Amino acid sequence: MSEDEEAGDLDPARRAALAQDLLHALRSRCPGSRAEPRGSLARGTADEYSDIDLVWIVPDGRFEDCVAAAPDLLGTVRDVASLRVDPDLANSRKRRLLFVDFDRLPLFWRLDLEIVARSVAGRPGYDRGNPAARSDDWSRPASALANAVAAVKTVLRGQPRTARGLLERGFARIGAADAVTGHWFADITRLAEAAAAIEPDRGPLAERVVRLAADHRAELR
């Protein structure tokens, strides 16, 4: 299978196998931890565009170690193309949320990995809204590119109003004075290119976003 074919193959069985490999790697890294699917994968309602939502519940004393180990650990399962941390939880001492895109896999299949200390595992809102948990050191262009991918997904799901809101917030996030026209391919391409112009290191991810939109151009009308 070529790189382009692999990135465009939306077979849910392939995503399920990846999720199981990730769960196994997480559990093996930290004895006494628990790793579980959540969201649509856990409910059995995922469609071909659904991302991979996992939670990794770790002993409190191993929390920082597990957070530090996560990028390399995930890379043992699949090469990581990009990783960012939810800024609202970036300094939390007991809860983090990682957003991970893997190389040569559909951008729709982003991994959202919550790492949480066991003592607060039953408190899903823990540290959300806590100023001390937040960091201002985050990439607005990367966040805008995530909105662009989500916009493709929502158009394909027949949710144009949601797609418009995602793109409007994406442009606002990078301070781009642009208007969403509803010509989805053009809108998504402009957002991706504007994000890469602000932060050139995001260029490869922006190119992947544009290729994703191009692959679905006939449906992005």
Side-chain angles (χ1 to χ4, degrees), residues 52-188:
I52 301 171
D53 284 324
L54 306 179
V55 59
W56 189 20
I57 302 169
V58 303
D60 284 54
R62 299 290 303 279
F63 176 77
E64 293 294 344
D65 171 62
C66 290
V67 168
D72 287 341
L73 177 61
L74 298 173
T76 66
V77 177
R78 189 84 189 196
D79 288 342
V80 172
S82 66
L83 182 151
R84 62 189 180 93
V85 181
D86 183 343
D88 287 339
L89 297 169
N91 289 324
S92 174
R93 296 182 179 181
K94 293 192 175 184
R95 186 171 174 235
R96 302 285 171 84
L97 182 58
L98 310 184
F99 305 119
V100 184
D101 291 311
F102 292 103
D103 191 36
R104 299 178 65 180
L105 280 182
L107 284 173
F108 296 134
W109 294 356
R110 184 182 79 181
L111 169 64
D112 290 6
L113 175 63
E114 180 183 4
I115 308 173
V116 59
R118 185 181 296 133
S119 63
V120 299
R123 299 165 60 185
Y126 180 82
D127 259 353
R128 183 69 69 177
N130 176 6
R134 183 174 176 81
S135 171
D136 292 327
D137 182 18
W138 60 288
S139 169
R140 293 179 181 275
S143 181
L145 289 167
N147 277 36
V149 174
V152 177
K153 180 186 299 190
T154 53
V155 172
L156 295 176
R157 286 174 167 166
Q159 301 166 352
R161 182 175 299 179
T162 301
R164 180 178 291 275
L166 285 163
L167 293 174
E168 288 173 346
R169 291 192 296 276
F171 282 120
R173 197 156 288 153
I174 58 175
D178 206 324
V180 178
T181 67
H183 297 289
W184 303 116
F185 175 76
D187 290 339
I188 290 161

Side-chain angles (χ1 to χ4, degrees), residues 16 28 33 49 83 125 140 184 210:
S28 299
S33 71
Y49 309 120
L83 182 151
R140 293 179 181 275
W184 303 116
V210 173

Side-chain angles (χ1 to χ4, degrees), residues 1-10 14 78-81 102-107 109 204-205 207-209 211-212 215:
M1 184 182 294
S2 72
E3 181 174 346
D4 287 343
E5 288 172 333
E6 192 171 12
D9 179 6
L10 295 174
R14 195 162 69 106
R78 189 84 189 196
D79 288 342
V80 172
F102 292 103
D103 191 36
R104 299 178 65 180
L105 280 182
L107 284 173
W109 294 356
L205 178 57
E207 291 173 3
R208 291 183 70 197
V209 172
R211 286 200 303 272
L212 175 69
D215 288 344

